[in-house]
């Protein structure tokens, strides 16, 4: 190992207590996820050459058309977990119900196997998001066992399949980024102790939904667009990749605020993003890096989940900006 290069396995050995079996098992599980991520990275990097682009005739539980890579990525992760004895149960965006593992294990794993998959056919970065919870002891997990508040996650993270493949994760002791060295197949620690700047001049939102936003969101974005000509002391920039993993990764790297708020576009949906395997893990990683994850009205990690595929509004990133959006929601709600 080259001097000064810390592998993922070395980092986990430093962060976890080898004397505790739960820590040893968590380290093994994260290394299993890293292996699965490498396999998905190979598929996404081959794109059309691997015959993995395009849609399937099927739809997922969200009623969304499934991409070939959605299903392939899902199968890789499910196979990874079911072949081991670390994960007692699995919940995935691509599967209606949780899947129990007959081998049992101390953890539950919830994941979006390929987030941003509508970008895959146009060669834009996509990712995998995962959340790790404690499994019930001495019995097979039931649906209610998965519905733990995000603050109870043991670990969470994501892989981003971009110009480089990175794994960004937290076990509750800061957020750390690893870059895949394709030549060695090792994830190398390249971004230790990531810290999100508390202030930012960059917002990320799908502005085409503007007419559907609630007043506090419309107020915040309007002020950002007016920049220093209005109440804000500076001009703002906008980014929207439409791949949550890529947008959130940028925010972890240089600050920013990501917003997919509740809107009136589809009143049956209180937001687009899913709590259990998108908002919760991303909020965990962001808050471990000094940021904040909110619905606009309350902290995401404190939400009591009601269903596996539940959707929530998401406002996360640079703490001072997220707190400003929360303040605008309080002011609005106090007079309406
Ligand atoms: P897909 O997985 O269908 O591409 O959706 C991606 C996503 O869930 C999230 O990654 C993006 O931030 C968001 O949807 C983009 O939504 P819009 O397409 O409405 O902008």
């Amino acid at each position: 190992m080259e001097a000064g290069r810390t592998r993922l396995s070395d980092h986990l050995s430093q962060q976890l207590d080898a004397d505790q079996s739960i820590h040893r098992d968590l380290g093994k599980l994260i290394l299993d996820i890293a292996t699965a991520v490498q396999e998905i990275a190979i598929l996404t990097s081959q794109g059309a050459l691997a015959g993995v682009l395009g849609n399937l005739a099927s739809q997922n539980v969200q009623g969304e058309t499934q991409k070939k890579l959605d299903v392939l990525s899902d199968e890789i992760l499910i196979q990874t977990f079911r072949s081991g004895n670390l994960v007692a149960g699995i919940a995935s965006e691509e599967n209606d119900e949780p899947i129990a593992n007959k081998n049992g294990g101390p953890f539950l794993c919830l994941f979006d196997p390929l987030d941003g998959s509508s970008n895959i056919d146009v060669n834009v970065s996509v990712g995998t998001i995962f959340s790790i919870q404690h499994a019930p002891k001495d019995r097979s997990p039931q649906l209610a066992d998965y519905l733990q508040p995000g603050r109870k996650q043991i670990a969470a993270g994501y892989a981003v399949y971009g110009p480089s493949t990175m794994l960004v994760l937290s076990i509750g002791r800061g957020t750390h980024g690893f870059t895949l060295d394709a030549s060695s197949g090792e994830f190398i620690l390249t971004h230790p102790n990531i810290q999100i700047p508390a202030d930012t001049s960059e917002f990320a939102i799908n502005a085409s939904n503007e007419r559907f936003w609630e007043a506090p969101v419309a107020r915040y974005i309007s002020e950002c667009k007016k920049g220093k000509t209005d109440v804000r002391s500076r001009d703002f920039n906008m980014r929207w990749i439409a791949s949550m993993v890529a947008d959130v990764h940028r925010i972890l790297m240089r600050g920013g605020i990501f917003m997919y708020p509740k809107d009136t576009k589809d009143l049956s949906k209180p937001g687009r993003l899913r709590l259990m395997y998108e908002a919760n893990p991303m909020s965990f990683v962001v808050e471990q890096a000094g940021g904040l994850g909110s619905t606009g009205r309350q902290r995401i990690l404190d939400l009591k989940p009601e269903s596996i595929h539940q959707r929530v509004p998401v406002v996360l990133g640079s703490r001072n900006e997220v707190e400003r959006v929360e303040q605008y929601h309080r002011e609005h709600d106090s007079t309406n």
Side-chain angles (χ1 to χ4, degrees), residues 115-118 206 240 242-244 258 260 272-274 278:
D115 173 70
S117 52
S118 61
N206 181 340
W240 188 248
S243 175
M244 184 187 197
F258 173 94
Y260 213 113
R272 174 181 169 99
L273 301 174
R274 294 74 155 183
E278 289 175 330

Side-chain angles (χ1 to χ4, degrees), residues 39-86:
E39 204 175 333
I40 296 170
I42 290 168
L43 281 178
T44 54
S45 68
Q46 291 175 339
L49 297 176
V52 295
L53 300 185
N55 298 342
L56 296 169
S58 57
Q59 289 191 334
N60 64 19
V61 66
Q62 328 289 341
E64 295 164 341
T65 300
Q66 288 183 303
K67 300 284 186 182
K68 290 175 187 171
L69 263 177
D70 279 325
V71 174
L72 287 170
S73 303
D74 192 46
E75 288 169 353
I76 288 168
L77 286 159
I78 289 173
Q79 178 53 36
T80 297
F81 298 137
R82 296 185 85 173
S83 59
N85 60 355
L86 296 170

